[in-house]
Amino acid sequence: MNIPIKTNEEIRKMRIAGSLAAEVLEMIQPYVIQDISTGELDSICHDYIVNKQHAIAACLGYCGFPKSVCISVNDVVCHGIPSSDKILQNGDIVNIDVTVLKDDYHADTSTMFIVGDSTTKAHHLCNITQTSLYHAIQLVRPGVRLQTLGHHIQKFVEKNGFSVVREYCGHGIGKSFHEAPQVLHYNANDRGVVLQPGMVFTIEPMVNVGSSRIRIMQDGWTVKTHDCSLSAQYEHTILVTQHGSEILTLRQNESVPLLEIND
Ligand code: MF3
Ligand code: CO
Ligand code: CO
């Protein structure tokens, strides 16, 4: 597996792509309310990326994906296709996944939005999923194996009674949307890649309330939980630095907690 090591010039461009992707999530937040359609949210994101950021919405047309961002509601795990028929309701949990391409480099990030008042369970699911991502990010530094990240995500999620989806993983990112390495969110006991400064990849755990099994809908894209239980996902694009990591897609209002890590 040939894992690209980014040059300083590439890192400079990826920081820009990263802040643009993060800004899309900040921009869309006030629109994610009851009675709006996911199709409308998609077109607001598209306009912003294309006309304000002068960037490219990398999902549009990627492997035939028909929209500019993925929007996955409730039991949709990932790759939800925005639609004017899908109207958000009070209590929905909504993932918006944005990938921008700017100056030949990609950045990929997603977060959850909770519409109105939702259940304690839904809040807890989102909280545990986001914390599992922060745990993994905190482990990133040169010399660490990707396997260690997967191990900690899985352990933390399962300790809290939820399950990790196996079929989709994080990925290297740069000139390509998806490149080496694969970043598994569970422990595959494969020893795995050893991190080096200049590697850039996403971490994007998908966590279900019930079983980890999924099914793909007839549209060929929408991934749902097999048992119709709720699912959450958070994603960041991460640079490995000399002594740790840098979150390239960090949002202005996002504070990353310092977590205690036990193995
Ligand atoms: N953004 C997704 C990821 O995290 C990929 C979406 S591919 C698309 O890797 F075609 F559905 F947009
Ligand atoms: Co990704
Ligand atoms: Co993504």
Side-chain angles (χ1 to χ4, degrees):
M1 203 183 344
N2 193 24
I3 299 170
I5 301 295
K6 271 70 179 177
T7 64
N8 289 338
E9 181 58 10
E10 288 180 297
I11 290 168
R12 189 186 66 78
K13 292 183 178 182
M14 293 204 72
R15 283 197 180 105
I16 294 170
S19 15
L20 294 178
E23 275 167 24
V24 177
L25 293 179
E26 291 168 347
M27 176 282 299
I28 202 67
Q29 167 153 29
Y31 296 97
V32 188
I33 53 173
Q34 198 175 322
D35 294 332
I36 196 166
S37 74
T38 59
E40 191 167 347
L41 292 172
D42 173 77
S43 76
I44 297 167
C45 290
H46 178 92
D47 281 355
Y48 190 79
I49 295 167
V50 172
N51 300 322
K52 285 248 167 56
Q53 299 187 327
H54 306 290
I56 292 167
C59 291
L60 187 60
Y62 179 79
C63 298
F65 191 78
K67 294 286 177 177
S68 294
V69 296
C70 297
I71 306 186
S72 304
V73 182
N74 295 338
D75 63 335
V76 177
V77 174
C78 62
H79 302 168
I81 303 175
S83 158
S84 54
D85 297 337
K86 178 66 191 173
I87 310 289
L88 295 185
Q89 289 173 17
N90 188 40
D92 281 349
I93 63 168
V94 182
N95 175 279
I96 303 186
D97 191 339
V98 175
T99 308
V100 302
L101 171 59
K102 177 78 174 182
D103 213 358
D104 293 330
Y105 288 84
H106 293 81
D108 188 5
T109 185
S110 80
T111 194
M112 299 297 298
F113 301 93
I114 296 177
V115 180
D117 352 271
S118 195
T119 60
T120 309
K121 190 85 173 173
H123 280 273
H124 189 52
L125 172 69
C126 293
N127 198 263
I128 292 300
T129 308
Q130 187 172 40
T131 305
S132 80
L133 169 61
Y134 290 149
H135 265 289
I137 292 171
Q138 203 170 303
L139 290 165
V140 172
R141 62 182 158 79
V144 165
R145 288 185 184 277
L146 281 181
Q147 184 187 344
T148 309
L149 273 55
H151 169 74
H152 276 86
I153 293 170
Q154 179 179 11
K155 248 195 54 184
F156 179 74
V157 165
E158 291 179 357
K159 189 178 77 188
N160 283 283
F162 299 134
S163 69
V164 176
V165 171
R166 309 296 169 103
E167 284 83 352
Y168 301 91
C169 57
H171 48 92
I173 182 166
K175 275 201 179 216
S176 314
F177 190 157
H178 296 100
E179 59 188 38
Q182 288 199 358
V183 181
L184 304 184
H185 306 113
Y186 61 97
N187 188 350
N189 276 310
D190 57 357
R191 291 172 56 72
V193 165
V194 178
L195 299 181
Q196 289 174 43
M199 288 181 177
V200 181
F201 54 85
T202 73
I203 308 174
E204 47 181 303
M206 283 143 273
V207 174
N208 300 347
V209 164
S211 136
S212 65
R213 289 181 62 201
I214 51 120
R215 59 208 167 103
I216 301 176
M217 299 297 103
Q218 286 292 334
D219 60 25
W221 280 106
T222 311
V223 179
K224 289 193 179 182
T225 56
H226 195 267
D227 59 8
C228 301
S229 69
L230 291 179
S231 186
Q233 179 177 30
Y234 290 79
E235 175 174 28
H236 272 309
T237 297
I238 309 295
L239 164 70
V240 184
T241 60
Q242 292 300 322
H243 299 291
S245 70
E246 183 180 327
I247 305 176
L248 300 181
T249 46
L250 191 69
R251 297 181 295 282
Q252 300 259 353
N253 64 354
E254 183 178 7
S255 57
V256 179
L258 245 194
L259 300 163
E260 201 180 305
I261 304 209
N262 347 283
D263 52 47

